[in-house]
Amino acid sequence: MANTQMKPAAALLLFLNFCMYVIVLGIGAWSMNRAIDYGFIIGPGFKLPAHFSPIYFPMGNAATGFFVTFAMLAGVVGVASAIAGINHIRSWNASSLPSAASIAGVAWTFTLLAMGFACKEIELEIRNARLRTMEAFLIILTVTQLVYIAAIHGGA
């Protein structure tokens, strides 16, 4: 990879994406913890409520459970993408590109899926400020992850 002009841009996008994925994981972990602590409580007769859902979240709306689940998956794969990206940025050669590009593509796909659920959650309207923050971060991450993929391929 003789072209090193894209290396600073890729490194900046990698750092930005890493920070944003960690924030998404933090908010997602808070949401998951809150759902576990304040979700449906099964009484002594072990009767489930009429509209029981295993991904019920006490805050937000009907899309929140799917949104948080896929946002956390996107966050974990995004952090893994950043780790592979750091290795690629350090060596910046053709042999490290396939691993960085493939995991970045998988992270972008999960982020795109989570962004779809974020759009559905925005459409349904009832959500708190933390969920709005996570929605905004995932929408931004969808674009920046795609630009990062283009930047590391631009150095080829």
Side-chain angles (χ1 to χ4, degrees):
M1 296 182 67
N3 186 0
T4 60
Q5 294 174 345
M6 295 303 289
K7 189 174 178 180
L12 177 67
L13 285 167
L14 180 69
F15 178 72
L16 175 70
N17 288 351
F18 176 75
C19 293
M20 290 178 72
Y21 276 124
V22 168
I23 291 170
V24 164
L25 277 174
I27 297 171
W30 169 84
S31 300
M32 191 68 70
N33 184 46
R34 186 151 175 93
I36 291 169
D37 288 345
Y38 299 106
F40 285 121
I41 299 181
I42 300 172
F46 295 105
K47 289 190 172 195
L48 295 174
H51 300 288
F52 177 74
S53 171
I55 54 172
Y56 169 76
F57 280 69
M59 70 289 203
N61 51 45
T64 303
F66 296 105
F67 169 62
V68 171
T69 302
F70 283 103
M72 288 187 66
L73 283 171
V76 168
V77 177
V79 169
S81 167
I83 293 168
I86 289 169
N87 183 40
H88 174 62
I89 296 292
R90 282 186 323 119
S91 61
W92 199 255
N93 58 33
S95 65
S96 64
L97 177 63
S99 63
S102 63
I103 191 69
V106 172
W108 179 71
T109 306
F110 273 114
T111 306
L112 194 63
L113 184 61
M115 187 206 68
F117 284 117
C119 291
K120 184 62 178 176
E121 189 171 10
I122 290 168
E123 179 186 332
L124 296 177
E125 294 182 357
I126 304 169
R127 60 206 194 279
N128 64 18
R130 289 185 179 122
L131 292 175
R132 276 187 240 134
T133 302
M134 195 160 64
E135 291 162 3
F137 272 48
L138 280 166
I139 291 168
I140 294 167
L141 272 167
T142 302
V143 174
T144 58
Q145 186 71 13
L146 184 62
V147 173
Y148 166 71
I149 293 170
I152 62 174
H153 278 90

